[in-house]
Amino acid sequence: MLATVQRVSEAQVQIENRIYSEIGSGLLIFVCIEKEDSIKSITAMVTKIINFRMLDGPKGSTAYSLKDTNEDALVISQFTLAAITGKGNKPSFHKSAKPEEAKLLYDEFMSLFETAYGNVKQGKFGAFMEISLINKGPITFNFKT
């Protein structure tokens, strides 16, 4: 599983020109399910993101983890994180899970995330979404499990 996590002042998802979900200060989390992923990798990613110190606190800009705060989280499924871009001029997505398999693991990821940290919203799996955000820092981290 892959994730790109950005600290944001705010973020919003629009689908068909309507606001689908939005958050204030917190984390915008783009996740990608790969072919080899399992419940184990999904669980590890939830644990990593919730416990990783990347939020502001009294000791600096990476003092608190999500679990230490009441910040918002917004999760967006994004299969293009698995793009292979090293050859030619067109991306290859052969490492991404098939949509049906990815949806099952994405739903499991969301269920685990919501159980571990209730202050979370999401985009719509498989939809064309327009994402707007104000990156805070900018601070962005990439994770792989």
Side-chain angles (χ1 to χ4, degrees):
M1 181 172 194
L2 303 169
T4 295
V5 180
Q6 298 181 309
R7 277 190 6 181
V8 297
S9 297
E10 61 186 56
Q12 181 183 88
V13 177
Q14 286 192 24
I15 299 173
E16 297 177 0
N17 295 319
R18 300 176 94 182
I19 295 173
Y20 185 79
S21 59
E22 60 188 331
I23 63 167
S25 182
L27 300 177
L28 176 58
I29 305 162
F30 294 101
V31 298
C32 175
I33 311 297
E34 296 180 290
K35 283 183 183 178
E36 304 301 319
D37 286 335
S38 64
I39 294 298
K40 183 179 178 182
S41 56
I42 300 302
T43 302
M45 186 63 79
V46 168
T47 301
K48 185 64 156 179
I49 291 171
I50 289 174
N51 290 292
F52 197 80
R53 294 174 187 246
M54 59 185 125
L55 296 166
D56 289 340
K59 296 181 181 178
S61 63
T62 57
Y64 285 147
S65 66
L66 195 57
K67 74 173 184 171
D68 298 325
T69 71
N70 194 31
E71 300 260 341
D72 295 331
L74 174 59
V75 178
I76 306 293
S77 106
Q78 186 175 355
F79 80 95
T80 61
L81 291 179
I84 306 299
T85 59
K87 289 185 178 181
N89 294 318
K90 186 176 179 187
S92 169
F93 300 106
H94 72 273
K95 288 190 174 185
S96 298
K98 300 288 183 212
E100 313 78 44
E101 298 160 12
K103 174 76 167 105
L104 293 173
L105 288 173
Y106 172 81
D107 288 345
E108 184 65 26
F109 175 86
M110 288 306 305
S111 177
L112 291 169
F113 203 102
E114 288 170 342
T115 299
Y117 188 78
N119 197 12
V120 62
K121 295 183 180 177
Q122 64 181 305
K124 185 175 181 183
F125 185 92
F128 181 84
M129 297 174 274
E130 293 181 339
I131 315 297
S132 59
L133 64 118
I134 298 176
N135 194 300
K136 191 175 186 178
I139 294 181
T140 303
F141 294 98
N142 294 310
F143 299 98
K144 180 171 178 51
T145 59

